[in-house]
Amino acid sequence: MAAAAIAVHGCHRGGDRDDLVLWAMGSEGDAAAQLVREFERANPALHVRVQTLPWSAAHEKILTAFVGDSMPDAFQAGNTWLPELRELGAIDAIDARLDASATLDRADFFPGVLDTNVIEGVTWGLPWYVDTRLLFYRRDLLERAGVAEVPATWDAWRDAMTLLAEHPATADGHAILLPMREWEVPVILALGNRAELLRDHDRFGNFRSPPVRAAFAWYLDLFTRGLAPRASASTSGNLYQDFARGAFAYYVTGPWNLGELAKRLPAELAESWDTAPMPAARAGEPGLSLAGVRAWWCRRRARKDDAWRLIEFLAAPERQSALTRLTGDLPASRSAWTRSGLADAPRTRAFYAQLQSLRATPKIPEWEQIATSIARHAESMIRGEETLDAGLADLDADVDQILAKRRWLLDRANAVTPAPVGSDAPSASTAEPHAP
Amino acid sequence: MKRIAAAALVNGLLTAGAVLTLMPFLWMISASLMPTGEASAIPPRFLPSHVTTEHYRVLLTRLALGRHVVVSLGLAGTITVLGLAVNVMAGYAFGKLPFAGKERIFQVLLAALVIPAQVSMLPLFLMLKALGLVNTFAGVVIPGLASVFGIFLIRQHAREIPDSILDAARVDGASELTIFRTIALRLLTPILVTLALFSFMGAWNDFLWPLVVLTDDRLYTLPVALANLVGEHVQETELMMAGSVVTVLPVVLLFVALQRYYVAGLTAGGVKG
Amino acid sequence: MLPERSRAGWVLVAPALAAIGLFFAVPVLAALALSFTDFDIYALADLDRLRVVGLANYQRLLHDPRFWIALRNTSYFVFVGGPLSVAVSLGAALTLDARTARWKPFFRTVFVLPVVTTLVAVAVVWRYLYHPRVGLLNHVLGWVGVPPVDWLGDPRFAMPAIIVLAIWKNFGFNTLIFLAGLQAIPPRLFEAARLDGAGAWQTFRAVTLPMLAPTFVLVAVLTLAGYFQLFAEPYVMTQGGPGSSTLSVVLLMYEQGFRWWNLGYAAAVAFVLFAIIVAFTGLDRLARRFAAPRQPAVAQHGPGERS
């Protein structure tokens, strides 16, 4: 047995040391593996090993790999992790290569999407597919409940949900599914309400400010009114089965579910569901959603030319279209949208509209920790363990604690150079929504 | 009459306990043989409508779980063999050889048992990084080698070796190391099997440390690979159950085959002074 | 003669001591040092951003509501789950030891089976058993009219569900120790009790219980120390949720350490837990002196409970 272990070990150490290692997360991992085969055919000298990780473990895995010095040459991740990895010096800036690229054009990416990969004017990643969230809904259930129009404002949306609740499709049905332990929906609502989540150059939490409070209040109210079930993600049933049997009519989620729903819903429901942009807080405004993207990044110490060639290949508009065919994910490249006719197609059209109205979360290394804290406090407020005000006060205290080191570093930097604090351009507050 | 009632009660209780204990295993096996989707049926099914080995085939082909079985066997085997060597030597010395500071050192070792293993994990990770052992099999093996429990177990048994046997060999001019190799090891063989069994099971079932140390998925041990699988295929219940069966089966078989040694270890380590 | 034996002793213990020193003692001391710093992700990138903060991590801990939640949950697990688990083990051992019991080796094997299995694997199974809609547990409870319970999704039931899993997984281990203790009671004591005309219950109280006391103390201490280190069950079953209802101290430490790389703070959490366990082992010494002269054993790190 000892011999077996050594044999396997030896195998790892020798042989394929020249492989480029690529990490891809979730169901896109399989698609990435397919596209990579094409890359290898075009570059016979290079061999790429694709490793797939579940999203739930990806953040820990990347950080551990960085600390343990075993990062992949290139990997795919969400933009909210970028500031952290940049701070660590784990990834490589790509501006020069992007500008010199023959196949990629900066202007071809949706501006709000590419912007999530830019910090202080430096570009770090190549957007691959968008991860903005919006409204998925069962059209047949809405029609049956007498909801005539897709809601454009929060008020109209809540009226529609109230109507739905009066005509439930199943005994245990609800108007909307909002997994309790998620930060995305309350944050989308807050950003949509023009709130600033952090204040003073991202030094302190700002969750007690009126716009954030109003958004959370509106969100919690959906649970209080019984429009959303108090269901946790870990034990809710099979999401797709539940959507099919009408356990809920609305769901706020991202493009990856276009493919999953197409694959998993029974055929007779194929035309019964649709998507719509996020409703706006007030009439006359566009509804905002998260500027989110899954992008390709290169490891700082990667074999830079090869790693760049690989992600340049994967992020090219042709491959983005191919990804859409393989998984149903939506490209970050505008030409890929036009080429595939996605901008006018049912269901993806709503995403096209939404991509014009995005806001980013604060670009600071602590964001992932803050987001986890938001999710946790949102859950305890939903469960009624804390009141709205107590929950937001706790959240602020928690976030202030998380940001303590950041404040010290900023103060120290200021003491050395009295220039304006460059490193904490408050991205959330300056990123204006792009007019449609 | 009363005796029969008592017997019925005792055996009834035991049977009920056994059924409850086995239920999760039985359902796991049953669900692993169900066609896709059947394990999530309402009302729940106890038995497959028809038996399929499809999920095992998927595991071994598309998901290449076989590789991780080999890795886990190799790693657990290596830890067992090397750990056995280290712990038997130390246990024998603590039990039978006088050396300065012996009792003091042994007490310190015992006291160390109350420190949660997780305390040392963070710095250990940084140390292994400095040694270049992160993401290697050596990084999994090395921290698990010496075990205070193993040393204690061997020491308790070594102390029961009669001094007269050792002294006779000494009179014959055998060196201490020869005595250890030729006489002590032979007398300690049964407890070596016990310790080997404990080490192997411990290493096979270990999850957290390999999870942290190994980043390359080709190096994953079976439990880590299974956890990864669960993260990616959470909706495919039957596949998960098949993965669990594959993970659990080797230790269960080993235990059933060698359980007498397992029990001996607990009796020795647990109660004797 | 003696010097050679002494030299041989050192040669034989050297590898084990070196391994323990290097891969356990040094990291533990390093963790202690870390707990007085604010080592975090910034310091990881650049050591210039590391501060020595004295006891600040410990102070912060005392004001961290999540630490108190974790301590409360862990105590719940230790002081509710622990006694239940010991009771189940004792019951199983007494039943197995009964003269009228049949197929003893079979039942013993069955009871120990969960102990030797991989937690990650059985957790997958238990998550489905606990499933509120399709789970077997609610289905079976439904037969006797119990309405469905969201075992892992309801903060009131998540910790009990973890306790049930832990008991199922571990009770066989203590059952074996109790069995060994029972079998070590000299038969002549039972004989004497019988001659005195004692009934079954009286024999149990006058002979079995007192003779089992040392084993009982041993099992209680091992269980206590082991249960304080609750980690793997919530890690694989609930990740500490729902809410924070199954967040344990070690899980909090892991989260701070390996998820956020707040190593300084995580180390402080670890040492506070260490102090708590030491406090209880102090109680153990008292109890030991009180209960019996027999030396207790150290099986807690034995049967594959490293994770």
Side-chain angles (χ1 to χ4, degrees):
Chain A
M1 281 174 186
I6 288 159
V8 176
H9 193 173
C11 179
H12 161 61
R13 278 285 166 219
D16 45 13
R17 185 173 295 179
D18 292 338
D19 285 3
L20 270 175
V21 178
L22 182 80
W23 281 6
M25 321 302 172
S27 51
E28 287 72 24
D30 297 333
Q34 286 190 43
L35 297 174
V36 157
R37 297 290 89 85
E38 202 183 316
F39 174 77
E40 288 176 326
R41 279 196 293 278
N43 299 274
L46 292 175
H47 186 245
V48 185
R49 219 173 66 68
V50 180
Q51 175 166 338
T52 56
L53 295 119
W55 275 113
S56 55
H59 182 257
E60 271 152 280
K61 214 71 200 168
I62 290 174
L63 278 191
T64 318
F66 166 74
V67 179
D69 213 8
S70 51
M71 295 251 297
D73 295 290
F75 60 98
Q76 174 221 340
N79 57 292
T80 52
W81 302 350
L82 170 63
E84 199 173 358
L85 292 162
R86 182 194 77 119
E87 190 68 45
L88 286 170
I91 51 173
D92 215 18
I94 57 165
D95 287 285
R97 291 166 192 275
L98 177 56
D99 292 336
S101 171
T103 50
L104 297 178
D105 178 6
R106 209 180 264 279
D108 186 41
F109 293 107
F110 288 95
V113 168
L114 182 63
D115 180 62
T116 60
N117 274 272
V118 179
I119 299 182
E120 291 172 48
V122 179
T123 315
W124 299 90
L126 289 179
W128 197 33
Y129 65 97
V130 295
D131 174 25
T132 193
R133 307 201 174 192
L134 42 63
L135 217 44
F136 282 61
Y137 64 94
R138 283 276 300 268
R139 196 190 304 117
D140 54 337
L141 299 185
L142 285 165
E143 280 167 6
R144 183 163 7 139
V147 180
E149 284 180 2
V150 174
T153 61
W154 288 5
D155 286 342
W157 189 17
R158 191 167 56 198
D159 291 344
M161 287 190 268
T162 312
L163 269 177
L164 273 165
E166 287 161 9
H167 304 85
T170 63
D172 59 346
H174 288 84
I176 184 169
L177 177 71
L178 297 166
M180 290 192 291
R181 205 188 178 95
E182 279 190 4
W183 57 269
E184 284 88 351
V185 175
V187 165
I188 288 171
L189 293 174
L191 294 178
N193 203 29
R194 314 272 159 163
E196 305 301 335
L197 300 174
L198 307 177
R199 62 186 168 87
D200 299 346
H201 299 291
D202 300 340
R203 284 164 193 251
F204 295 95
N206 195 31
F207 290 89
R208 279 169 295 178
S209 62
V212 183
R213 189 187 180 281
F216 269 88
W218 194 86
Y219 176 68
L220 292 182
D221 184 53
L222 300 182
F223 294 90
T224 320
R225 293 176 184 232
L227 300 175
R230 292 186 161 91
S232 59
S234 69
T235 56
S236 62
N238 184 312
L239 177 71
Y240 306 105
Q241 286 173 9
D242 282 352
F243 192 59
R245 70 188 178 91
F248 54 91
Y250 283 118
Y251 184 41
V252 178
T253 184
W256 67 89
N257 267 326
L258 292 172
E260 294 292 323
L261 284 170
K263 194 166 70 187
R264 295 178 191 265
L265 285 193
E268 67 267 22
L269 288 179
E271 295 307 318
S272 309
W273 60 282
D274 208 340
T275 57
M278 286 303 292
R282 283 162 291 272
E285 292 178 357
L288 299 178
S289 188
L290 280 181
V293 69
R294 304 289 157 91
W296 289 107
W297 301 332
C298 285
R299 177 191 191 182
R300 170 64 58 83
R301 279 197 258 154
R303 293 147 55 192
K304 293 188 184 176
D305 293 331
D306 294 342
W308 166 258
R309 261 163 63 201
L310 177 58
I311 69 168
E312 181 188 39
F313 176 88
L314 288 169
E318 295 84 352
R319 254 66 64 188
Q320 301 210 4
S321 298
L323 177 72
T324 305
R325 277 197 307 278
L326 290 169
T327 63
D329 281 315
L330 296 178
S333 139
R334 290 200 273 204
S335 59
W337 276 79
T338 6
R339 184 200 325 243
S340 330
L342 290 168
D344 306 313
R347 288 174 194 156
T348 55
R349 156 169 69 203
F351 278 93
Y352 193 74
Q354 190 71 68
L355 285 170
Q356 322 299 328
S357 307
L358 300 176
R359 268 188 82 186
T361 50
K363 289 179 193 170
I364 55 171
E366 293 87 352
W367 174 252
E368 193 63 22
Q369 235 185 114
I370 292 174
T372 306
S373 182
I374 297 173
R376 202 166 56 226
H377 286 282
E379 184 185 0
S380 74
M381 288 185 272
I382 293 166
R383 288 188 187 280
E385 294 163 3
E386 298 184 287
T387 63
L388 172 64
D389 288 304
L392 293 178
D394 284 354
L395 183 52
D396 267 338
D398 219 16
V399 170
D400 289 352
Q401 172 67 53
I402 292 169
L403 292 172
K405 183 83 169 243
R406 173 182 170 80
R407 289 195 294 276
W408 176 71
L409 287 169
L410 291 178
D411 291 345
R412 191 172 73 158
N414 282 346
V416 177
T417 45
V421 192
S423 66
D424 67 335
S427 46
S429 49
T430 52
E432 278 304 310
H434 306 272
Chain B
M1 202 61 206
K2 204 177 152 199
R3 264 191 76 105
I4 295 173
L9 180 68
V10 161
N11 290 295
L13 279 174
L14 287 176
T15 309
V19 168
L20 284 178
T21 311
L22 284 179
M23 187 56 89
F25 293 121
L26 297 178
W27 192 75
M28 166 175 83
I29 295 168
S30 171
S32 75
L33 299 170
M34 289 179 186
T36 303
E38 217 169 89
S40 315
I42 298 175
R45 297 186 65 100
F46 290 89
L47 292 172
S49 63
H50 70 271
V51 169
T52 170
T53 55
E54 175 201 338
H55 310 296
Y56 290 94
R57 276 206 302 278
V58 170
L59 280 182
L60 294 176
T61 55
R62 186 162 63 81
L63 300 169
L65 211 65
R67 166 186 207 105
H68 304 292
V69 176
V70 173
V71 167
S72 265
L73 279 176
L75 278 178
T78 310
I79 290 176
T80 305
V81 170
L82 297 181
L84 208 57
V86 169
N87 294 318
V88 168
M89 292 194 301
Y92 172 75
F94 277 120
K96 269 311 186 203
L97 296 174
F99 56 93
K102 180 170 93 165
E103 294 306 323
R104 176 75 44 87
I105 295 173
F106 191 69
Q107 269 161 13
V108 170
L109 286 187
L110 284 189
L113 276 180
V114 298
I115 304 179
Q118 290 89 352
V119 173
S120 64
M121 269 181 55
L122 302 161
L124 186 59
F125 185 84
L126 298 178
M127 276 174 62
L128 291 187
K129 177 202 174 189
L131 296 171
L133 292 180
V134 171
N135 200 26
T136 65
F137 286 137
V140 181
V141 169
I142 289 175
L145 285 187
S147 133
V148 176
F149 166 74
I151 296 172
F152 178 81
L153 190 65
I154 300 295
R155 170 182 174 268
Q156 298 304 90
H157 279 257
R159 294 206 314 186
E160 285 168 16
I161 300 176
D163 282 326
S164 56
I165 300 182
L166 303 181
D167 286 337
R170 284 180 186 126
V171 171
D172 289 345
S175 78
E176 289 298 327
L177 295 183
T178 311
I179 294 173
F180 168 69
R181 270 208 319 272
T182 57
I183 299 173
L185 275 189
R186 192 164 43 78
L187 292 173
L188 289 171
T189 304
I191 201 66
L192 294 191
V193 179
T194 301
L195 183 55
L197 189 61
F198 275 129
S199 307
F200 188 89
M201 286 175 171
W204 180 276
N205 290 338
D206 197 9
F207 172 62
L208 184 55
W209 185 245
L211 173 76
V212 168
V213 170
L214 300 174
T215 43
D216 186 336
D217 63 353
R218 290 171 305 175
L219 308 187
Y220 282 175
T221 61
L222 199 47
V224 177
L226 180 69
N228 209 41
L229 216 61
V230 173
E232 285 184 54
H233 301 263
V234 72
Q235 309 278 15
E236 297 164 54
T237 314
E238 299 79 13
L239 188 69
M240 293 302 93
M241 293 305 143
S244 301
V245 171
V246 172
T247 308
V248 161
L249 199 62
V251 266
V252 166
L253 292 181
L254 199 66
F255 169 71
V256 171
L258 297 175
Q259 57 168 312
R260 138 177 102 87
Y261 293 97
Y262 188 94
V263 175
L266 283 192
T267 320
V271 179
K272 281 189 199 166
Chain C
M1 202 84 172
L2 254 184
E4 199 214 329
R5 280 210 244 169
S6 173
R7 201 169 55 240
W10 276 110
V11 169
L12 290 178
V13 293
L17 288 187
I20 291 173
L22 199 57
F23 297 110
F24 189 69
V26 170
V28 167
L29 293 177
L32 186 62
L34 272 184
S35 76
F36 302 119
T37 71
D38 71 344
F39 198 104
D40 61 0
I41 201 152
Y42 288 110
L44 206 58
D46 178 0
L47 267 185
D48 180 42
R49 297 187 284 190
L50 177 75
R51 285 180 295 177
V52 175
V53 297
L55 293 173
N57 284 325
Y58 293 91
Q59 273 160 2
R60 175 181 157 197
L61 198 126
L62 294 180
H63 296 106
D64 183 350
R66 275 174 70 71
F67 172 73
W68 291 107
I69 292 171
L71 194 59
R72 197 188 60 206
N73 294 338
T74 307
S75 306
Y76 182 4
F77 182 75
V78 171
F79 297 108
V80 175
L84 275 176
S85 156
V86 173
V88 171
S89 301
L90 183 60
L94 288 171
T95 321
L96 260 179
D97 195 49
R99 217 173 319 163
T100 43
R102 308 179 71 180
W103 307 301
K104 288 186 191 187
F106 167 75
F107 285 122
R108 198 183 58 191
T109 308
V110 168
F111 292 163
V112 185
L113 223 43
V115 178
V116 303
T117 52
T118 319
L119 182 69
V120 184
V122 296
V124 172
V125 180
W126 276 81
R127 270 211 302 270
Y128 281 98
L129 294 180
Y130 279 143
H131 195 284
R133 277 196 324 117
V134 304
L136 222 48
L137 183 59
N138 275 348
H139 185 64
V140 172
L141 289 177
W143 292 343
V144 289
V146 179
V149 173
D150 188 358
W151 291 102
L152 298 174
D154 186 325
R156 286 170 304 165
F157 293 107
M159 188 53 97
I162 295 274
I163 289 176
V164 169
L165 166 67
I167 293 177
W168 174 82
K169 179 86 176 67
N170 299 322
F171 84 95
F173 186 78
N174 285 337
T175 301
L176 284 184
I177 299 183
F178 275 130
L179 264 184
L182 285 171
Q183 281 154 9
I185 301 175
R188 62 183 161 78
L189 293 182
F190 293 107
E191 192 62 20
R194 199 178 57 82
L195 289 178
D196 287 348
W201 174 244
Q202 281 167 313
T203 312
F204 177 73
R205 285 204 37 196
V207 179
T208 315
L209 269 190
M211 289 305 289
L212 210 53
T215 314
F216 192 85
V217 171
L218 164 72
V219 165
V221 169
L222 289 186
T223 305
L224 203 74
Y227 271 38
F228 261 117
Q229 300 180 35
L230 172 68
F231 169 75
E233 286 87 352
Y235 180 79
V236 295
M237 295 290 283
T238 58
Q239 294 271 314
S244 300
S245 58
T246 57
L247 179 77
S248 72
V249 177
V250 179
L251 189 57
L252 175 70
M253 187 211 82
Y254 176 83
E255 198 182 282
Q256 287 293 330
F258 281 106
R259 184 141 187 232
W260 307 124
W261 290 91
N262 292 326
L263 297 194
Y265 190 58
V269 174
F271 276 94
V272 169
L273 178 68
F274 174 51
I276 294 172
I277 296 180
V278 166
F280 277 95
T281 11
L283 287 183
D284 144 49
R285 291 231 171 76
L286 260 176
R288 210 188 301 169
R289 197 167 305 157
F290 194 69
R294 287 191 184 186
Q295 187 168 354
V298 253
Q300 111 205 38
H301 287 242
E305 295 190 64
R306 264 207 296 169
S307 35

